[in-house]
Amino acid sequence: MRTWRGGSALAAALLALGVLAIPASAATSVYPSGAGQFDGGAEGWQVTEASCNVPLLCSASGGYEPGDGRPAGSLAANTNVALNLLTLFQSTVTLRSPDFKVGDGGAGSLHLDRRFASGSLVDLAPQFDYTAQLTDRTSDKVSTSITESVEGSSGWSGADGAVTLATGHTYAIVITVRTSSTVAGTGLLAGSTSARFDNVALTVGSGGSDGGGKGDGTGRGAGSSIAARVTALAPATLAGPARLKGQRLSVKARCPAKIGRACRISVLGLLSKRKPATATRRVKVAKGKTKRVVLKVKPRAKGRVAVRKRLLFKVKVRAGSADATAFKRLRLLRR
C-alpha cells in the first residue's frame, strides 16, 4: 500500500544538514506466508490432533474446506456422531500453522474469522470453544491470544488478540477446537458439526496491540488498539451493492468512526483473489464518512464482470500507522 507522508522545505533542508532526523515507520509484516486466506489450499497448516471421548460412536477430523470461507476457502474442525449415542460427546481438533521466522519483533495482532455450523446435530445443542495460541519454537514459550465460546450455529465473525514477538524467533499459530454437546444423545440421531476458520494471520509492525482476548469490532476492551480496530473493521470499509455502467464500476468506501481517525482506502475489483477485474483506486475518507469510488473495468474482464451477480473486492485500509487487507463480495447491479 502507498505510504502518504507530508513535509516542508525547511525540514528537508535541516535533514540534508544532518540537523533533523525523521524516523521511518516500521514496515508491516504478515505471517505466515499466504496470510491465512486459504483460497487455494491449506497453506501448510496441519491437523495435529483429532479425537473424541466416545471413540466408537463419535469421530473428529480436520482439514481444508474449499467451498466455505470469507471468501471461499477455510480450515475445518469436524465432529461426526453415529446412531446409538446415548451420552454427551466432546471432540478435540488441533490445527497448526507452518513455522515462520519473524524479522522485526514487537507488539502485533492475531486475527481470524470463524463460524460454527451445528448441522444435523442441532437437537444436541452443540457448542464449540477454541483458543488461538502463539508458540515460540525458539524459546518453547506458549501464549494465548484469543479464547472464545460459541453456542449454536453462527455466521462468520472476526476475532482479534494481542501478541508480542521477539526479533529473529521462529513461531507457529495453534488453534485448538473443542466441540461438545449440552444435551445427551437419544440414540436416534446421527450427523456432524463443523467449526471453520479463515483469514488467520499475524500482523506485526502496524502499531501493535494493547491487550489480549477477542475483538468484537467495537474498538473497546482488549483489542482496542489502532491496529486491532483497523484489522477488525477492514471488511466494513466497503459497502454495496456495486453498480456497473459500461466499463465503470462504483462502490462505497467508508471509514468507520470506531477506527478513530481518517482512512486511506485502496479498492480493487477481482474475478478471483489472483485475477484483477478492475484498475486500483485509492481515496482518502474522513472519519465516519463515506465516499463513492469509481473503478475502471479492464477490457478483458468486461464480459465476465457483466454476467456476475456478485463480485469480489480487495480493500486495503490504512489509518495512522496501522493497515489491514480484507476481501468482500458485493451484490452487482446494472444501470
Side-chain angles (χ1 to χ4, degrees):
M1 177 175 287
R2 179 183 298 175
T3 301
W4 290 265
R5 293 192 176 112
S8 68
L10 176 60
L14 292 173
L15 181 61
L17 293 173
V19 177
L20 178 66
I22 302 176
S25 60
T28 298
S29 300
V30 180
Y31 305 96
S33 177
Q37 296 175 12
F38 310 122
D39 58 337
E43 296 179 1
W45 283 69
Q46 296 181 344
V47 179
T48 59
E49 180 185 0
S51 62
C52 190
N53 67 333
V54 193
L56 297 179
L57 299 176
C58 171
S59 63
S61 63
Y64 178 60
E65 173 53 58
D68 187 25
R70 202 177 192 184
S74 60
L75 298 181
N78 306 313
T79 304
N80 298 287
V81 172
L83 289 171
N84 303 319
L85 180 71
L86 298 173
T87 185
L88 298 174
F89 72 82
Q90 178 176 295
S91 71
T92 302
V93 176
T94 301
L95 306 167
R96 185 188 183 96
S97 78
D99 290 350
F100 54 89
K101 187 174 182 179
V102 172
D104 294 326
S109 178
L110 175 63
H111 173 84
L112 59 81
D113 293 326
R114 57 79 181 156
R115 88 173 185 93
F116 183 53
S118 298
S120 54
L121 299 181
V122 63
D123 290 344
L124 302 184
Q127 65 180 27
F128 91 101
D129 306 271
Y130 74 91
T131 58
Q133 297 178 309
L134 188 65
T135 299
D136 188 330
R137 303 279 284 163
T138 304
S139 67
D140 291 329
K141 180 181 178 181
V142 177
S143 58
T144 298
S145 180
I146 303 172
T147 300
E148 188 179 10
S149 297
V150 181
E151 298 181 0
S153 294
S154 71
W156 285 103
S157 179
D160 297 89
V163 294
T164 302
L165 301 103
T167 300
H169 280 213
T170 298
Y171 293 89
I173 300 169
V174 178
I175 301 175
T176 302
V177 185
R178 293 180 177 86
T179 305
S180 59
S181 58
T182 55
V183 176
T186 62
L188 301 175
L189 188 65
S192 63
T193 68
S194 185
R196 307 283 172 82
F197 297 90
D198 197 6
N199 302 312
V200 186
L202 181 66
T203 303
V204 186
S206 59
S209 187
D210 55 6
K214 71 172 183 173
D216 58 6
T218 64
R220 301 188 299 266
S224 61
S225 72
I226 181 64
R229 293 198 301 271
V230 171
T231 300
L233 294 170
T237 60
L238 204 60
R243 299 181 182 276
L244 178 65
K245 184 178 181 180
Q247 284 188 276
R248 296 188 178 276
L249 186 66
S250 64
V251 295
K252 291 180 180 178
R254 59 189 179 190
C255 183
K258 291 172 184 175
I259 286 181
R261 61 188 68 190
C263 304
R264 300 280 186 176
I265 300 176
S266 170
V267 185
L268 174 66
L270 299 168
L271 296 173
S272 68
K273 279 190 177 180
R274 292 187 174 88
K275 293 183 179 180
T278 72
T280 301
R281 180 74 185 276
R282 299 176 179 86
V283 294
K284 182 178 180 180
V285 184
K287 182 181 72 173
K289 300 298 182 179
T290 299
K291 183 176 292 186
R292 184 166 292 279
V293 180
V294 179
L295 307 172
K296 185 177 181 181
V297 179
K298 292 180 177 293
R300 291 184 179 181
K302 183 178 179 181
R304 297 178 65 180
V305 171
V307 298
R308 297 284 179 95
K309 293 182 179 180
R310 302 177 71 86
L311 194 66
L312 179 65
F313 290 87
K314 180 179 181 180
V315 57
K316 293 183 178 181
V317 187
R318 184 175 180 86
S321 62
D323 57 54
T325 300
F327 293 84
K328 189 171 185 178
R329 291 189 185 276
L330 299 177
R331 189 159 58 100
L332 184 59
L333 302 179
R334 282 87 179 165
R335 59 177 186 175

